């Protein structure tokens, strides 16, 4: 039976693009070329591996829809070169900053001595213009990770790339020879990020002005006049799903726009491992492959017991490895943005030039009372606008113009599939579905709990923790080496925030005991809360929202771990 979908125009188009890539020279690194046989099939010259690696940060371009956009590149490309490492090896990375401004590289999700973590002003001084820094550390883990600049808004301009670490010992569930593809999703704008930040500061909904439509109202997707007035009274909008949208961003798969259609090849019937990385600066993605179930086998690089889903939503900084078994046809990898304003697209195909239908973007989701930390079972919106500004609910939060709400009844939302994912009609991954493959390394109960509120004022585009920005908070969060602590993050905003703790892999508190799923980045749903247990590693560590503009505005702290 042959169900090949060969689109002749696409075939010619793909051939043209391959030529285009060759002409463009260095625009795309070897691992991200428009047509890929798989990461293992790459010639040695196309990946960076071994114990000594040199990376150059410089100025360049990324081509989106045939137009060049300014970019900060690593070794001349966006994304940068893939690092293929092996658990147990030593690594010496020389990073040359060719920019006229300070720079840095941070190894996202790697457990390492804090001086090698690469956050200017926190763990090292940064790399001055026209100079270099050498990072040196052992690789103590395996899985899918990535690296990016932690200076200014350079990450937002393309300064990121994947890291794939092979396990010291082969995992029983995975064939060592299994074909695999990295699918790195990102966002890029033709507008300078500093200008995007300025525009949001002047008008927080600058990029989010999708008007409510009459047809939407009639279809039941939109709000009644009454509901709209209630939201307005609270100075909130149920459409604040994302602050940076497709009106200014373009969404890329392995550095390619939807029309360039990055394509990963496979042999029909063979299991293929896809390493999804959300390297976007400001975007959550809903990832699905219509017609193909995905078996999630790792989260943030940590092995989990296989769980089969049709779709998952993930935030900036998170990674998922999935195994798919495609048949003899092409499939679209559809990575719709959480606010449904745009989509990154790629293709899995048994031969070059094949495409599958691209699913249309689904209707824009709306926020609910749950997203404001309100349980609506007992009452209506009446009185809510008072309650949501009640500072006594969170004594440690510094109330002021930078805090426009406090979650009155924050719920644990670890079983939540994500904004807009509740009614898509198929199985969507939740954190509670994740169960670690191996027992957790530290089974001690936490000695104490640290509650951190994620705070903000949407209208002023202010973002903070406990009501204070990074620059207003002079005290780091103190911990002792080896101390076991439970962090509970309470989201007092109506946006989802992917919160990343550097240098640690923590256990999500989701009721799975000694097989708790381990991660380095946890998304906290709007108005909800999330807890994780962590064993403190010595040093100064960045702790922040991975939406880069939220971090830049102040949703960040330093966690300082002193000797016991
Ligand atoms: Cu955030």
């Amino acid at each position: 039976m042959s169900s090949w979908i060969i689109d002749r125009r696409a075939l010619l188009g793909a051939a043209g693009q391959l030529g285009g890539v060759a002409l463009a020279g260095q625009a795309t690194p070897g691992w991200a070329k428009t047509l890929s046989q798989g990461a293992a099939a790459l010639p040695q010259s196309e990946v960076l591996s071994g114990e000594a690696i040199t990376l150059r940060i410089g100025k360049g371009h990324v081509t989106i829809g045939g137009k060049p956009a300014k970019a900060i590149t690593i070794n001349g490309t966006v994304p940068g070169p893939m690092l293929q490492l092996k658990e147990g090896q030593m690594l010496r990375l020389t990073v040359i900053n060719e920019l006229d401004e300070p720079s840095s590289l941070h190894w996202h999700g790697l457990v390492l001595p804090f001086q090698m973590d690469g956050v200017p002003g926190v763990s090292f001084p940064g790399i001055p213009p026209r100079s270099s820094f050498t990072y040196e550390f052992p690789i103590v883990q395996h899985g899918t990770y990535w690296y990016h600049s932690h200076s200014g808004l350079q990450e937002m301009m393309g300064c990121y790339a994947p890291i794939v670490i092979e396990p010291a010992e082969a995992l029983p569930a995975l064939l060592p020879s299994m074909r695999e593809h990295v699918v790195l999703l990102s966002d890029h704008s033709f507008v300078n990020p500093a200008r995007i930040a300025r525009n949001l500061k002047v008008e927080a909904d600058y990029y989010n002005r999708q008007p409510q439509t009459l047809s939407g109202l009639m279809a039941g997707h939109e709000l009644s006049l009454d509901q709209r007035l209630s939201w307005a009274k609270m100075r909130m909008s149920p459409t604040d799903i994302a602050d940076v949208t497709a009106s200014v961003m373009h969404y890329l798969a392995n550095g390619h726009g939807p029309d360039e259609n990055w394509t990963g090849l496979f042999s029909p019937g063979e299991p293929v491992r896809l390493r999804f990385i959300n390297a976007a600066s400001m975007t959550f993605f809903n990832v699905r492959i219509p017609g193909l179930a995905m078996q999630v086998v790792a989260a943030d690089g940590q092995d989990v017991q296989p769980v089969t889903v049709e779709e998952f939503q993930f935030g900036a900084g998170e990674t998922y490895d999935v195994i798919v078994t495609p048949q003899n046809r092409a499939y679209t990898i559809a990575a719709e943005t959480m606010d449904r304003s745009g989509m990154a697209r790629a293709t899995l195909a048994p031969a070059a030039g094949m495409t599958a239908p691209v699913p249309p973007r689904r209707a824009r989701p709306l926020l609910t009372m749950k997203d404001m930390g309100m349980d609506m079972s007992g009452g209506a919106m009446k009185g809510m606008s008072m309650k949501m500004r009640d500072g006594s609910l969170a004594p440690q939060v510094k109330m002021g113009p930078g805090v426009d709400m406090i979650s009155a009844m924050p719920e644990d939302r670890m079983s939540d599939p994500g904004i807009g994912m509740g009614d898509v009609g198929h199985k969507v991954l939740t954190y509670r579905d994740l169960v670690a493959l191996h027992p957790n390394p530290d089974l001690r109960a936490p000695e104490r709990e640290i509650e951190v509120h994620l705070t903000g004022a949407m209208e002023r585009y202010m973002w903070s923790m406990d009501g204070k920005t990074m620059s207003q908070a002079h005290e780091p969060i103190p911990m002792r080496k080896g101390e076991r602590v439970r962090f509970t993050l309470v989201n007092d905003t109506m946006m989802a925030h992917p919160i990343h703790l550097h240098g640690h892999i923590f256990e999500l508190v989701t009721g799975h005991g000694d097989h708790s799923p381990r991660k380095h980045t946890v998304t906290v749903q709007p108005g909800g809360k999330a807890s994780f247990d962590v064993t403190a590693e010595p040093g100064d560590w960045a702790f922040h929202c991975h939406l880069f503009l939220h971090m830049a505005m102040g949703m960040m702290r330093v966690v300082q771990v002193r000797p016991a």
Side-chain angles (χ1 to χ4, degrees):
M1 183 190 94
S2 168
S3 57
W4 287 43
I5 301 168
I6 299 186
D7 180 327
R8 197 179 143 71
R9 249 181 28 227
L11 187 64
L12 294 171
Q17 273 145 23
L18 285 174
V21 168
L23 284 178
Q26 287 202 322
T28 315
W31 69 268
K33 287 215 169 87
T34 327
L35 191 63
S36 171
Q37 295 281 353
L42 288 167
Q44 272 310 301
S45 58
E46 302 280 20
V47 292
L48 296 178
S49 54
E51 300 209 338
I53 289 173
T54 300
L55 299 169
R56 287 172 296 105
I57 302 172
K59 275 189 188 166
H61 291 90
V62 58
T63 306
I64 304 168
K67 275 168 60 185
K70 280 187 183 164
I72 306 278
T73 58
I74 306 170
N75 290 6
T77 63
V78 176
M82 168 155 57
L83 306 186
Q84 274 188 341
L85 308 172
K86 178 140 189 175
E87 186 176 16
Q89 75 163 83
M90 275 302 296
L91 182 59
R92 195 180 148 85
L93 286 146
T94 303
V95 179
I96 302 164
N97 177 13
E98 294 177 347
L99 301 174
D100 297 319
E101 61 186 58
S103 192
S104 58
L105 285 177
H106 159 64
W107 323 98
H108 183 99
L110 298 199
V111 173
L112 36 59
F114 82 97
Q115 302 92 333
M116 299 294 134
D117 191 50
V119 182
V122 176
S123 47
F124 86 136
I127 313 173
R130 309 268 162 201
S131 63
S132 72
F133 181 83
T134 300
Y135 296 80
E136 199 163 6
F137 53 90
I139 300 296
V140 300
Q141 62 206 103
H142 62 263
T144 306
Y145 303 92
W146 59 296
Y147 63 103
H148 60 83
S149 168
H150 225 290
S151 299
L153 297 174
Q154 291 169 5
E155 194 272 355
M156 221 166 156
M157 290 193 70
C159 196
Y160 48 76
I163 301 175
V164 173
I165 310 174
E166 189 191 329
E169 290 164 40
L171 292 162
L174 299 173
L175 307 167
S177 60
M178 186 183 282
R179 191 199 296 262
E180 58 179 61
H181 293 290
V182 167
V183 184
L184 181 146
L185 302 170
S186 63
D187 49 19
H188 202 99
S189 184
F190 288 96
V191 179
N192 186 289
R195 181 169 188 156
I196 295 176
R198 260 200 317 276
N199 288 343
L200 287 165
K201 207 70 191 154
V202 172
E203 212 171 333
D205 66 348
Y206 195 92
Y207 298 113
N208 184 20
R209 290 186 191 136
Q210 308 175 56
Q212 305 226 11
T213 60
L214 184 62
S215 58
L217 195 61
M218 289 168 72
H221 286 306
E222 316 269 323
L223 300 182
S224 70
L225 183 63
D226 216 32
Q227 286 170 310
R228 224 180 299 178
L229 287 174
S230 297
W231 282 95
K233 220 166 27 193
M234 293 181 289
R235 285 180 282 139
M236 305 262 169
S237 162
T239 59
D240 286 342
I241 310 288
D243 36 26
V244 177
T245 69
S247 69
V248 69
M249 279 292 176
H250 294 265
Y251 303 103
L252 311 179
N254 290 341
H256 301 284
D259 299 337
E260 291 136 349
N261 190 24
W262 177 87
T263 299
L265 296 176
F266 63 84
S267 300
E270 74 169 345
V272 179
R273 184 184 183 111
L274 304 176
R275 298 176 182 269
F276 284 101
I277 300 170
N278 188 339
S281 59
M282 289 302 291
T283 307
F284 283 77
F285 287 103
N286 302 328
V287 178
R288 68 197 147 123
I289 310 174
L292 204 50
M294 300 184 280
Q295 204 178 32
V296 178
V297 294
D300 288 4
Q302 316 304 305
D303 303 313
V304 295
Q305 294 175 17
V307 52
T308 301
V309 300
E310 306 290 324
E311 187 163 9
F312 62 85
Q313 181 175 91
F314 70 159
E318 296 185 281
T319 75
Y320 285 111
D321 289 19
V322 308
I323 293 176
V324 293
T325 307
Q327 302 307 310
N328 200 356
R329 51 163 279 205
Y331 300 85
T332 293
I333 299 175
E336 179 187 62
T337 63
M338 182 168 70
D339 70 331
R340 318 262 169 101
S341 68
M343 189 185 279
R345 169 237 189 166
T347 295
L348 291 178
M354 293 172 69
T355 60
V358 177
R361 283 186 279 119
R362 295 167 293 191
R364 165 180 65 153
L366 291 175
L367 292 172
T368 65
M369 287 293 114
K370 211 176 180 183
D371 300 318
M372 299 170 52
M374 309 282 180
D375 173 6
M376 292 315 288
S377 52
M381 288 168 110
K382 288 194 187 76
M384 283 306 180
S385 55
M386 305 243 310
K387 211 166 178 189
M388 57 189 290
R389 293 191 175 82
D390 181 357
S392 69
L393 294 167
Q396 80 269 41
V397 174
K398 194 187 165 295
M399 298 302 289
V403 179
D404 67 11
M405 82 176 234
I406 296 288
S407 290
M409 284 174 273
E411 254 182 68
D412 178 303
R413 297 187 70 182
M414 297 297 233
S415 323
D416 199 305
I419 295 173
M421 291 284 100
D423 58 358
V424 291
H426 55 225
K427 173 63 192 163
V428 183
L429 183 74
T430 73
Y431 283 154
R432 211 177 291 278
D433 294 327
L434 300 170
V435 180
L437 187 61
H438 306 291
N440 298 147
D442 190 344
L443 300 177
R444 291 177 298 156
E447 298 151 42
R448 64 185 174 111
E449 183 169 8
I450 297 175
E451 190 174 275
V452 177
H453 284 249
L454 311 174
T455 44
M458 267 309 294
E459 282 192 340
R460 295 180 174 85
Y461 208 71
M462 295 166 81
W463 300 103
S464 54
M465 284 180 174
D466 287 340
K468 288 182 186 169
T469 64
M470 172 79 167
S471 54
Q472 291 167 337
H474 303 294
E475 295 294 308
I477 297 172
M479 290 204 280
R480 296 243 157 242
K481 182 185 170 190
E483 190 185 11
R484 187 88 175 137
V485 173
R486 172 159 302 175
F487 274 82
T488 292
L489 306 174
V490 181
N491 190 345
D492 289 327
T493 79
M494 299 200 53
M495 294 208 139
H497 302 281
I499 302 295
H500 173 46
L501 174 60
H502 285 226
H504 294 75
I505 306 290
F506 48 72
E507 289 84 41
L508 296 185
V509 179
T510 50
H512 292 298
D514 63 356
H515 281 73
S516 296
R518 311 190 70 220
K519 290 186 103 264
H520 49 59
T521 304
V522 59
T523 292
V524 191
Q525 298 298 333
K529 57 182 181 179
S531 295
F532 62 80
D533 292 345
V534 67
T535 303
E537 299 282 348
D540 289 349
W541 303 104
F543 178 53
H544 62 88
C545 179
H546 223 281
L547 301 178
F548 267 79
L549 293 178
H550 294 191
M551 176 178 78
M553 298 294 166
M555 194 179 269
M556 176 167 176
R557 279 296 183 279
V558 174
V559 169
Q560 191 166 64
V561 183
R562 288 285 175 247

